[in-house]
Amino acid sequence: MRVADFASWEREFPLRYVLVREVDDEDDREAVELLGRCADAEGLYLPHEYPDRTVLVLEGCPADSPLAVMAAGPGGRQLGDLELLVLEENGDPSAYDYQLGGVSVVTVRPTAGAPGLVDLVVTADHRDHPYEGRPRYPARPGYAFWSPDRRITEPLGHCRHVGGLLARRPARADPIQLIGCEPAPALLALLTQRGGRNEEWGKLAALDRSGRVMATEEVMLHVTEARPSVLGGPLLDVTLADCGYGYPVLEGRPVRERWFEGPPTEPNQWAQLDTWGRREWLALCRTGPSDSPRSGGTHHLDGRHVTDVPGLHLAIGEAVLGPGLEMGSNLFWLRDRLWGGTAVVSPFTLVWHDAETARRCLAGEIVGGDPVRSYFDVVLEVLAERGVTVVLD
């Protein structure tokens, strides 16, 4: 079976990840065995300087507070940075405060037995600001959440309790946490095998809302912890030792959130991203159908946002194939795609509008050889070599 065969479940929150491992199948090289379905995963986008990504449960938040409204509203999954202030029993600020970076909402659920209140299950970079001589932690604390923007003079919300705030941080530097994992029998067997210590590799497939696989990361199936999930029910929260490589950078998180709703349908939706974000956007693009390739015609490249190498390849892909599709992510694959394998093959005409933007911004991107040339000039050579007539506008 393939990942697509496991890409659905019937729960109140969406399925975002599927954990699988390869199986030997002479007839199907993509055959895999299901290990688990997961509501979320943390640790894939974590820069090394922030090893303290963790799961928190903000219990008993007023449903009409700005924080809860943002979390439950459209596009509210990414809350950005928040400041958490621990309050004394009388509501005064205590000596304890925390910086929560890159807060991401896993789910919002009603607080049990408390109408009008909700629990927010979130993940965040968790950083304490300790200093010597401060008093004991409040016996009956309260919690207030503030925006780091000092122009906002009121708290975004309060809650009764923050589960996981004082928990011991993971022992390993950069673990991967599978949140709300529905384990398959193969994973349950793995958990009992040498305490989960396994040198076998698996694949963690990131899905979009329709169940399409967006990207896949290699992970080692070395389980360091498994416990009942913060999402409740028969689910588990499983921690894997981070022994993999090549994970997306932190800037890839909002890109994948955008693609979770489906591939883009309009051009230039990547234009406001930095270079790292554009690389992730390009990595999610597909080559598109190639059953009936066509040649000829004129395609128009919008060059206004071609300020770096990934932006150049994104613009070429959108011009020739459309949003969410690519003609290669580097010079090698550009040559390959122009030779065939996509819906459009040469010869055709490419009108490159605002070409001077790319010429100027890529002047420092040098490609070796004799003579040394800029990346922009080499791209023009590749296009001409493959039979594309380029008109610089």
Side-chain angles (χ1 to χ4, degrees), residues 234-268:
L235 304 178
L236 299 177
D237 289 344
V238 178
T239 301
L240 302 177
D242 181 5
C243 302
Y245 59 92
Y247 296 146
V249 295
L250 195 61
E251 290 82 355
R253 178 187 292 272
V255 173
R256 290 197 182 182
E257 290 298 331
R258 162 59 188 84
W259 279 69
F260 178 74
E261 301 301 333
T265 56
E266 298 293 332
N268 292 329

Short mmCIF file of all heavy atoms in Angstrom, two decimals, residues 234-268:
data_model
loop_
_atom_site.label_atom_id
_atom_site.label_comp_id
_atom_site.label_asym_id
_atom_site.label_seq_id
_atom_site.Cartn_x
_atom_site.Cartn_y
_atom_site.Cartn_z
N PRO A 234 -7.74 7.62 22.47
CA PRO A 234 -6.73 6.56 22.42
C PRO A 234 -5.41 7.01 21.76
O PRO A 234 -4.56 6.18 21.46
CB PRO A 234 -7.41 5.49 21.57
CG PRO A 234 -8.26 6.28 20.62
CD PRO A 234 -8.74 7.49 21.39
N LEU A 235 -5.26 8.30 21.54
CA LEU A 235 -4.09 8.81 20.83
C LEU A 235 -2.88 8.88 21.75
O LEU A 235 -2.99 8.96 22.97
CB LEU A 235 -4.39 10.19 20.25
CG LEU A 235 -5.61 10.28 19.32
CD1 LEU A 235 -5.81 11.72 18.87
CD2 LEU A 235 -5.45 9.35 18.13
N LEU A 236 -1.70 8.88 21.13
CA LEU A 236 -0.44 8.99 21.84
C LEU A 236 0.32 10.22 21.36
O LEU A 236 0.15 10.66 20.22
CB LEU A 236 0.44 7.75 21.59
CG LEU A 236 -0.08 6.39 22.03
CD1 LEU A 236 0.90 5.30 21.62
CD2 LEU A 236 -0.32 6.36 23.53
N ASP A 237 1.16 10.76 22.24
CA ASP A 237 2.18 11.73 21.85
C ASP A 237 3.51 10.99 21.88
O ASP A 237 3.92 10.50 22.94
CB ASP A 237 2.20 12.93 22.79
CG ASP A 237 0.97 13.81 22.63
OD1 ASP A 237 0.28 13.68 21.60
OD2 ASP A 237 0.71 14.63 23.52
N VAL A 238 4.15 10.89 20.73
CA VAL A 238 5.35 10.07 20.57
C VAL A 238 6.53 10.97 20.25
O VAL A 238 6.44 11.83 19.36
CB VAL A 238 5.16 9.03 19.45
CG1 VAL A 238 6.42 8.20 19.25
CG2 VAL A 238 3.96 8.13 19.76
N THR A 239 7.63 10.78 20.97
CA THR A 239 8.84 11.56 20.73
C THR A 239 9.89 10.68 20.06
O THR A 239 10.23 9.61 20.56
CB THR A 239 9.41 12.12 22.04
OG1 THR A 239 8.41 12.93 22.67
CG2 THR A 239 10.65 12.96 21.79
N LEU A 240 10.40 11.15 18.92
CA LEU A 240 11.46 10.48 18.19
C LEU A 240 12.75 11.24 18.38
O LEU A 240 12.78 12.47 18.31
CB LEU A 240 11.14 10.40 16.69
CG LEU A 240 9.85 9.70 16.27
CD1 LEU A 240 9.69 9.81 14.75
CD2 LEU A 240 9.87 8.24 16.69
N ALA A 241 13.85 10.53 18.59
CA ALA A 241 15.15 11.18 18.62
C ALA A 241 15.43 11.76 17.25
O ALA A 241 15.20 11.11 16.22
CB ALA A 241 16.24 10.18 19.01
N ASP A 242 15.91 12.98 17.19
CA ASP A 242 16.18 13.64 15.92
C ASP A 242 17.52 13.18 15.38
O ASP A 242 18.56 13.71 15.74
CB ASP A 242 16.18 15.16 16.11
CG ASP A 242 16.42 15.89 14.79
OD1 ASP A 242 16.49 15.22 13.75
OD2 ASP A 242 16.55 17.12 14.82
N CYS A 243 17.48 12.17 14.54
CA CYS A 243 18.70 11.65 13.93
C CYS A 243 18.68 11.85 12.42
O CYS A 243 19.52 11.30 11.70
CB CYS A 243 18.87 10.17 14.25
SG CYS A 243 18.93 9.79 16.01
N GLY A 244 17.73 12.61 11.95
CA GLY A 244 17.60 12.82 10.52
C GLY A 244 18.39 14.02 10.04
O GLY A 244 19.19 14.61 10.76
N TYR A 245 18.17 14.41 8.81
CA TYR A 245 18.87 15.54 8.23
C TYR A 245 18.01 16.12 7.10
O TYR A 245 17.05 15.49 6.65
CB TYR A 245 20.22 15.10 7.65
CG TYR A 245 20.11 14.03 6.59
CD1 TYR A 245 20.02 14.37 5.25
CD2 TYR A 245 20.07 12.68 6.94
CE1 TYR A 245 19.90 13.38 4.27
CE2 TYR A 245 19.96 11.70 5.97
CZ TYR A 245 19.88 12.05 4.64
OH TYR A 245 19.74 11.08 3.68
N GLY A 246 18.32 17.33 6.72
CA GLY A 246 17.62 17.93 5.59
C GLY A 246 16.21 18.38 5.89
O GLY A 246 15.40 18.51 4.97
N TYR A 247 15.89 18.63 7.17
CA TYR A 247 14.55 19.09 7.49
C TYR A 247 14.36 20.53 7.02
O TYR A 247 15.31 21.29 6.91
CB TYR A 247 14.30 19.00 8.99
CG TYR A 247 14.33 17.60 9.54
CD1 TYR A 247 14.80 17.34 10.82
CD2 TYR A 247 13.90 16.52 8.78
CE1 TYR A 247 14.84 16.05 11.33
CE2 TYR A 247 13.93 15.24 9.28
CZ TYR A 247 14.40 15.00 10.54
OH TYR A 247 14.43 13.72 11.04
N PRO A 248 13.12 20.94 6.75
CA PRO A 248 12.89 22.31 6.32
C PRO A 248 13.23 23.31 7.42
O PRO A 248 13.11 23.02 8.61
CB PRO A 248 11.39 22.33 5.98
CG PRO A 248 10.82 21.20 6.78
CD PRO A 248 11.88 20.16 6.82
N VAL A 249 13.65 24.49 7.01
CA VAL A 249 14.00 25.54 7.96
C VAL A 249 12.74 26.14 8.54
O VAL A 249 11.63 25.90 8.07
CB VAL A 249 14.85 26.63 7.28
CG1 VAL A 249 16.19 26.07 6.84
CG2 VAL A 249 14.10 27.23 6.10
N LEU A 250 12.93 26.95 9.59
CA LEU A 250 11.80 27.55 10.29
C LEU A 250 10.91 28.36 9.34
O LEU A 250 9.69 28.40 9.50
CB LEU A 250 12.31 28.43 11.42
CG LEU A 250 11.30 28.85 12.48
CD1 LEU A 250 10.72 27.63 13.18
CD2 LEU A 250 11.96 29.78 13.49
N GLU A 251 11.53 28.99 8.33
CA GLU A 251 10.76 29.79 7.38
C GLU A 251 9.82 28.92 6.53
O GLU A 251 8.93 29.43 5.85
CB GLU A 251 11.70 30.56 6.46
CG GLU A 251 12.46 31.69 7.14
CD GLU A 251 13.70 31.21 7.88
OE1 GLU A 251 13.93 29.98 7.95
OE2 GLU A 251 14.45 32.06 8.38
N GLY A 252 10.05 27.60 6.55
CA GLY A 252 9.18 26.70 5.79
C GLY A 252 7.84 26.45 6.44
O GLY A 252 6.89 26.01 5.77
N ARG A 253 7.70 26.76 7.74
CA ARG A 253 6.44 26.49 8.42
C ARG A 253 5.26 27.26 7.83
O ARG A 253 4.25 26.66 7.45
CB ARG A 253 6.58 26.79 9.92
CG ARG A 253 5.30 26.59 10.70
CD ARG A 253 5.47 27.05 12.15
NE ARG A 253 6.38 26.22 12.87
CZ ARG A 253 6.02 25.12 13.52
NH1 ARG A 253 4.76 24.73 13.53
NH2 ARG A 253 6.91 24.41 14.19
N PRO A 254 5.32 28.61 7.69
CA PRO A 254 4.16 29.30 7.10
C PRO A 254 3.91 28.91 5.65
O PRO A 254 2.78 28.98 5.18
CB PRO A 254 4.53 30.79 7.24
CG PRO A 254 6.01 30.82 7.42
CD PRO A 254 6.36 29.56 8.12
N VAL A 255 4.96 28.51 4.93
CA VAL A 255 4.77 28.08 3.55
C VAL A 255 3.93 26.81 3.51
O VAL A 255 2.96 26.70 2.75
CB VAL A 255 6.13 27.85 2.86
CG1 VAL A 255 5.93 27.23 1.48
CG2 VAL A 255 6.88 29.16 2.75
N ARG A 256 4.27 25.84 4.35
CA ARG A 256 3.49 24.60 4.37
C ARG A 256 2.08 24.84 4.89
O ARG A 256 1.14 24.14 4.49
CB ARG A 256 4.21 23.55 5.20
CG ARG A 256 5.47 23.04 4.52
CD ARG A 256 5.94 21.74 5.11
NE ARG A 256 7.17 21.29 4.48
CZ ARG A 256 7.78 20.15 4.77
NH1 ARG A 256 7.27 19.35 5.70
NH2 ARG A 256 8.89 19.80 4.15
N GLU A 257 1.92 25.79 5.80
CA GLU A 257 0.57 26.12 6.27
C GLU A 257 -0.28 26.63 5.12
O GLU A 257 -1.46 26.31 5.01
CB GLU A 257 0.63 27.14 7.40
CG GLU A 257 1.19 26.60 8.70
CD GLU A 257 0.36 25.48 9.28
OE1 GLU A 257 -0.85 25.46 9.04
OE2 GLU A 257 0.94 24.61 9.96
N ARG A 258 0.32 27.46 4.25
CA ARG A 258 -0.41 27.96 3.10
C ARG A 258 -0.76 26.80 2.15
O ARG A 258 -1.90 26.70 1.66
CB ARG A 258 0.42 29.02 2.38
CG ARG A 258 0.00 29.33 0.94
CD ARG A 258 -1.44 29.82 0.84
NE ARG A 258 -1.88 29.93 -0.53
CZ ARG A 258 -2.36 28.94 -1.27
NH1 ARG A 258 -2.46 27.71 -0.75
NH2 ARG A 258 -2.76 29.13 -2.51
N TRP A 259 0.18 25.92 1.90
CA TRP A 259 -0.05 24.81 1.00
C TRP A 259 -0.97 23.75 1.60
O TRP A 259 -1.53 22.93 0.86
CB TRP A 259 1.27 24.17 0.59
CG TRP A 259 2.00 24.90 -0.50
CD1 TRP A 259 2.58 26.13 -0.41
CD2 TRP A 259 2.21 24.45 -1.84
NE1 TRP A 259 3.15 26.47 -1.61
CE2 TRP A 259 2.94 25.45 -2.51
CE3 TRP A 259 1.88 23.30 -2.53
CZ2 TRP A 259 3.34 25.34 -3.83
CZ3 TRP A 259 2.27 23.17 -3.85
CH2 TRP A 259 2.99 24.19 -4.50
N PHE A 260 -1.14 23.75 2.93
CA PHE A 260 -2.03 22.78 3.54
C PHE A 260 -3.45 22.92 2.99
O PHE A 260 -4.19 21.94 2.89
CB PHE A 260 -2.04 22.96 5.07
CG PHE A 260 -2.97 22.02 5.78
CD1 PHE A 260 -2.66 20.68 5.93
CD2 PHE A 260 -4.17 22.48 6.30
CE1 PHE A 260 -3.53 19.81 6.58
CE2 PHE A 260 -5.05 21.62 6.96
CZ PHE A 260 -4.71 20.29 7.10
N GLU A 261 -3.84 24.13 2.64
CA GLU A 261 -5.18 24.36 2.09
C GLU A 261 -5.26 23.96 0.62
O GLU A 261 -6.34 24.03 0.02
CB GLU A 261 -5.57 25.82 2.26
CG GLU A 261 -5.58 26.29 3.71
CD GLU A 261 -6.54 25.49 4.57
OE1 GLU A 261 -7.54 24.98 4.01
OE2 GLU A 261 -6.30 25.37 5.78
N GLY A 262 -4.16 23.57 0.02
CA GLY A 262 -4.15 23.15 -1.37
C GLY A 262 -3.11 23.92 -2.16
O GLY A 262 -2.65 24.99 -1.73
N PRO A 263 -2.69 23.41 -3.31
CA PRO A 263 -1.70 24.11 -4.13
C PRO A 263 -2.20 25.49 -4.53
O PRO A 263 -3.42 25.73 -4.64
CB PRO A 263 -1.56 23.20 -5.36
CG PRO A 263 -2.02 21.85 -4.89
CD PRO A 263 -3.09 22.12 -3.88
N PRO A 264 -1.30 26.44 -4.75
CA PRO A 264 -1.72 27.80 -5.13
C PRO A 264 -2.41 27.81 -6.48
O PRO A 264 -2.10 27.02 -7.37
CB PRO A 264 -0.39 28.56 -5.17
CG PRO A 264 0.65 27.52 -5.41
CD PRO A 264 0.18 26.30 -4.70
N THR A 265 -3.33 28.74 -6.62
CA THR A 265 -4.06 28.89 -7.88
C THR A 265 -3.80 30.24 -8.53
O THR A 265 -4.24 30.47 -9.66
CB THR A 265 -5.57 28.74 -7.64
OG1 THR A 265 -6.00 29.69 -6.66
CG2 THR A 265 -5.90 27.35 -7.13
N GLU A 266 -3.10 31.13 -7.83
CA GLU A 266 -2.77 32.45 -8.36
C GLU A 266 -1.25 32.61 -8.39
O GLU A 266 -0.56 32.09 -7.51
CB GLU A 266 -3.39 33.57 -7.50
CG GLU A 266 -4.90 33.55 -7.45
CD GLU A 266 -5.53 33.89 -8.80
OE1 GLU A 266 -4.88 34.63 -9.57
OE2 GLU A 266 -6.65 33.43 -9.06
N PRO A 267 -0.72 33.34 -9.37
CA PRO A 267 0.74 33.53 -9.44
C PRO A 267 1.24 34.50 -8.38
O PRO A 267 0.48 35.27 -7.79
CB PRO A 267 0.94 34.10 -10.85
CG PRO A 267 -0.35 34.79 -11.17
CD PRO A 267 -1.42 33.96 -10.51
N ASN A 268 2.53 34.43 -8.12
CA ASN A 268 3.26 35.38 -7.25
C ASN A 268 2.84 35.33 -5.78
O ASN A 268 3.12 36.28 -5.05
CB ASN A 268 3.11 36.82 -7.77
CG ASN A 268 3.82 37.04 -9.09
OD1 ASN A 268 4.85 36.40 -9.36
ND2 ASN A 268 3.29 37.91 -9.92
#
